[in-house]
Structure formats: structure tokens, C-alpha cells
Amino acid sequence: MPIVDMRSRPSFLHAFFGAEPNTPQYDVVKWLNKRVGSRDLEHFTRAKDPEGVVAEMDDAGISVAVMVARSVPGVRVSNDDLAAVAARGSGRLVAVASVDPIELGRDAAVAEATRSIKELGMKALNLDAGFYAEGMKANDERLMPLYEVCDKLGVPAFVMSGPTTPDLTLNDAFAVETVAKTFSKLKIVCCHGFYPNVREIVTVAFRNENVFVSPDMYTFCPGGGGYVEAANHFMADQFLFGSSYPFRPMKQGVEDFKTLGLSQEAYEKASWRNADRILGLGLAAEADKKAA
């Protein structure tokens, strides 16, 4: 059975991901690994290049890893650089674009998002709403043109959230409701699952079938059982697995996800079928062909 990791970034992409030992950023990566229950706090030092990442994916049983770019003050990973890493991944690495509408301005951000998807072949667009120089909620008017790009081009919008949001009032799951209603056909992936606001994002997902919840490392934190309960009920088609590498080990993420108590159907959907459907990876057709 394939596995799609919906949130994975090679550490060598940027100091923020632990690329440089003996730096404050490196220590922060270790600290966060400890906070979210990693057993190996320096696992992220092993993969030095795209080929090393794919080898680690093989060891973890991961078929495809979705690399989510970032473009916020202090963490700039260019879309061209991320696309180049994906190109060396033997079809196993999928790149998600990122733009900063505050840094670029509306028109340039729209143009870069469009270029990244149409010319670089990136599969989605990431929006770091609360992390820009001017933090905002997911439904801020300045983000609407970027959601519109995703809607028109038929790719998902990834929305960053979670307890590391600089201003926690911006980690507002209910703000996603506005986006989901405005763009009813747009697939919205809620990275980090707006943790710790589990009930809130589960409620939004209940009301909007185009909202997908990807709590990744926070699935395994206190209160994360609420995501699992929903996935075993109405949210089976809207729940996604993510390791959050390098902030948690790939292999441990896969192993821990298997023990969450998901039904067989919910596990299969969350571990790959939902991701395959929203990103158009073609895994289902491949699996059906093998089964035949």
C-alpha cells in the first residue's frame, strides 16, 4: 500500500530546517522534535541531498513526499530551488509553491504563483497567513487573489496554521470557513490542523467537504485524538497524513500513524487515497493496475 507524506521538507533547504549544525536554528529543530515526541532528535542530519531524502523515504515506506515551500521573513525557499530538488527525486518528490503577498505585492504574488504552477509544474500553493511581516488570518482579503489563482488552475491551497503562529489569535480555524464558502470547489489543506483548535477545524471540515485537515506532527500531541475520532466518522475523506519532517522522523511518523486507531478504510484514505485524489498523483490507477 502506498503512503503519501503531505508535509516534508529536506533539512538542507534552509537553516530554519536544521541545515547548519551549531546554530540557533539547528537547536530549535531539535527542541521542536523533542516537544512533539521524536525519539531521534538528530534524525534530520542524515539526508544530505534529494537522493538521500528518497532513500530515507524508502526506509520509512513512503511513496511520495510533498515538499511545502516557505516564503516569509527569515525563511525564503525559492520556488525554482524547490522545483530543482523535486526534479532530482525520481518522481517521488512533489513541490508546493509559496509566495509572500506582503513582500511582493498583489500583482507580483499572483504572477509568481501562476508561474510556479503553470511553468514549474508545482502541485499546489502554500499560504503562510499568520507568518508574514504583516500577520493575517486565512480569510484576509489580501490572500483572496491567491486562492482565486488556485481555484482557476485547479490546484489545492495549503494554509499554514498551528501553535507556532507568532500571534495566536491569527491561528483561527473559523477563518477557513469564509474561504471554503467563497471558493466552494477549491480544495483547502489545513497544514498543522490549526492545532490546538482541534474541535474548531473539525467543525469547519464537517460543514465544508472541500476542507482537508493535515495535522501532521500535532496528530500525536495531546488532544490530537479529536482528529482521529472525526476521521473514523464523517472526516474520512478529508484527513491527511504528514510526517512534518524534519521536525519529526519520517519512519516514526509512519509507525505512529498506524497505531492511532483509525479504521482500515480511514487509514487507507488518510495515508494515500485522499492525497492522491486532491493532488492528482495517479497512485490509485497504478494500484488498481497491480491488483488486476
Side-chain angles (χ1 to χ4, degrees):
M1 186 181 297
I3 296 175
V4 177
D5 185 346
M6 284 293 287
R7 194 169 186 85
S8 180
R9 279 83 58 93
S11 61
F12 56 76
L13 281 176
H14 194 278
F16 178 79
F17 303 121
E20 302 170 11
N22 303 314
T23 62
Q25 296 97 322
Y26 183 93
D27 291 337
V28 168
V29 176
K30 286 180 62 178
W31 174 84
L32 188 53
N33 268 276
K34 183 177 181 181
R35 297 296 282 179
V36 297
S38 300
R39 292 189 290 272
D40 179 359
L41 301 186
E42 294 190 345
H43 64 91
F44 57 90
T45 63
R46 293 196 292 270
K48 305 295 186 183
D49 51 34
E51 293 76 15
V53 172
V54 171
E56 195 158 339
M57 289 166 56
D58 286 338
D59 184 54
I62 294 171
S63 310
V64 176
V66 179
M67 303 183 298
V68 183
R70 293 201 76 177
S71 185
V72 297
V75 189
R76 302 290 183 191
V77 178
S78 80
N79 294 318
D80 291 278
D81 286 348
L82 195 69
V85 171
R88 289 176 56 183
S90 303
R92 305 273 299 282
L93 300 176
V94 169
V96 172
S98 189
V99 297
D100 183 341
I102 301 301
E103 180 200 38
L104 296 176
R106 179 186 184 277
D107 292 345
V110 166
E112 174 59 12
T114 303
R115 181 189 77 91
S116 298
I117 294 164
K118 295 182 73 172
E119 297 181 19
L120 298 180
M122 300 178 116
K123 290 285 191 178
L125 177 67
N126 175 62
L127 301 174
D128 284 288
F131 295 79
Y132 299 127
E134 297 174 26
M136 56 188 81
K137 293 185 179 182
N139 61 353
D140 194 283
E141 284 299 320
R142 290 168 289 184
L143 297 178
M144 291 301 173
L146 295 170
Y147 290 123
E148 187 175 1
V149 168
C150 295
D151 191 41
K152 286 183 176 180
L153 296 180
V155 300
F158 283 46
V159 179
M160 174 68 168
S161 66
T164 61
T165 306
D167 179 351
L168 283 173
T169 64
L170 301 177
N171 185 39
D172 181 2
F174 291 143
V176 176
E177 168 96 352
T178 309
V179 184
K181 296 297 187 191
T182 303
F183 303 99
S184 59
K185 295 183 179 179
L186 173 65
K187 296 174 177 64
I188 304 164
V189 177
C190 299
C191 303
H192 294 333
F194 282 86
Y195 184 84
N197 303 317
V198 180
R199 288 182 297 178
E200 290 83 350
I201 193 59
V202 163
T203 300
V204 173
F206 179 87
R207 290 161 55 91
N208 301 277
E209 292 185 46
N210 58 328
V211 171
F212 296 80
V213 182
S214 180
D216 43 81
M217 60 187 173
Y218 297 112
T219 308
F220 312 105
C221 287
Y227 299 121
V228 178
E229 184 180 4
N232 275 330
H233 197 262
F234 66 86
M235 207 170 74
D237 293 320
Q238 298 162 263
F239 189 47
L240 299 161
F241 164 71
S243 70
S244 207
Y245 175 83
F247 301 112
R248 210 168 188 271
M250 295 185 203
K251 190 170 186 177
Q252 184 184 342
V254 170
E255 291 171 347
D256 289 350
F257 200 73
K258 290 177 180 177
T259 65
L260 284 174
L262 290 166
S263 69
Q264 181 59 39
E265 180 184 10
Y267 172 80
E268 186 171 324
K269 288 181 175 182
S271 62
W272 72 278
R273 286 196 180 275
N274 293 339
D276 181 47
R277 174 165 48 89
I278 67 175
L279 291 173
L281 300 176
L283 295 175
E286 200 173 298
D288 291 343
K289 185 177 179 181
K290 288 180 179 179

